[in-house]
Amino acid sequence: MSGLLQDRAAVVTGGAQGLGEAICERLAREGCDLILADIQAPAAEAAAGRIAAATGRRVTAMAVDVTNEDHVRALFDRAVESFGRVDVAVANAAILIAEPIAEADAKKWRAVMDVNLFGNFLTFKHACRVMKPRKSGAIIQINSKSGKKGSAANSAYAASKFGGIGLVQSVALEMAPFGVRCNAICPGNLLDSPLWTDPDRGLFVQYLRAGKVPGAASIDDVRAAYVAQVPMRRGCAYEDVCNAVVFLASPQASYMTGQAINVTGGQEMR
Ligand SMILES: NC(=O)c1ccc[n+]([C@@H]2O[C@H](COP(=O)([O-])OP(=O)(O)OC[C@H]3O[C@@H](n4cnc5c(N)ncnc54)[C@H](O)[C@@H]3O)[C@@H](O)[C@H]2O)c1
């Protein structure tokens, strides 16, 4: 059975776990061969092996730190060597270090900008380097609703994501004459992702300990408070975001560039 992206070649950063892993699996199910890049080498190998076995596509892991230009250059060179081209590049790798502004550690603040914004710049730069001569390609940035609305005690993350939309629009304008589209997806809260559920460092325990949700006595209370913020009354699921990735990567989005699409169940209207 052929998928919507049959025999396309893709690169995904931050693919070893969470949303990035789900995007890799969905792209492979839609017919893509891909390189799954992540700073966590063993986890990337494991995810790539699992997805290749499940889909029958060529899925290769590569150890890449998106803040290192030599790594990112090598990632796109390897994709071209392996597949002959890159049709789809997904900039998904990001980190979140939430600290109140008056106590924020400057090194940690800069590290968030480095991975989320500078890392996206390097990914976009090398995606454009290989896509521009072919006059074709789709670049997709995984942004956040925090890219459009400030986030208390989370200034580095929100600043990096707001900056990301400026980067997307600028690259979209520059690359439009060369047939390369560049768009962002702004998901709501992926409440079942490790970012939220990790028992030690996840946002549920962090927010519970920090008293961020008034009256919350348990993780379930914190979760319920976040679900209540969503008009559609559920957290964002990986599949919600993957559907938008496939659309933006496909010819169905051929007249769309420079957009930042909300996938939030309506939450950003609140
Ligand atoms: N989880 C959410 O609720 C949520 C909501 C909105 C947007 N997002 C966005 O979705 C994307 C994925 O988030 P997630 O929740 O799956 O996060 P996650 O922390 O589970 O996964 C991020 C991945 O990026 C990798 N990574 C981190 N730094 C890297 C680096 N320097 N180089 C290469 N890889 C690196 C990590 O190893 C990890 O595999 C991010 O862009 C995030 O901002 C997440």
Side-chain angles (χ1 to χ4, degrees), residues 164-177:
I165 294 180
L167 180 64
V168 162
Q169 291 191 1
S170 304
V171 171
L173 287 169
E174 188 177 334
M175 286 296 125

Side-chain angles (χ1 to χ4, degrees), residues 13-21 37-40 64-67 91-96 115-116 142-146 157 161 185-191 193-196 203 238:
T13 68
Q17 67 174 50
L19 177 62
E21 183 181 8
D38 204 288
I39 200 166
Q40 300 185 70
V64 171
D65 177 349
V66 294
T67 68
N92 165 81
I95 59 172
L96 186 158
V115 176
N116 299 8
I142 303 302
N143 201 288
S144 168
K145 64 180 169 47
S146 301
Y157 185 75
K161 294 293 187 179
I185 298 170
C186 299
N189 299 317
L190 292 152
L191 296 179
S193 67
L195 182 80
W196 286 83
L203 294 178
Y238 292 150

Side-chain angles (χ1 to χ4, degrees), residues 174-237:
E174 188 177 334
M175 286 296 125
F178 302 101
V180 177
R181 297 180 296 103
C182 184
N183 291 288
I185 298 170
C186 299
N189 299 317
L190 292 152
L191 296 179
D192 296 317
S193 67
L195 182 80
W196 286 83
T197 60
D198 185 281
D200 302 317
R201 293 172 302 138
L203 294 178
F204 285 132
V205 276
Q206 281 191 48
Y207 290 169
L208 182 63
R209 286 185 201 133
K212 185 161 166 157
V213 176
S218 68
I219 281 173
D220 285 346
D221 292 343
V222 178
R223 187 185 175 100
Y226 277 87
V227 169
Q229 293 174 12
V230 184
M232 295 187 83
R233 288 290 183 268
R234 66 171 175 84
C236 189

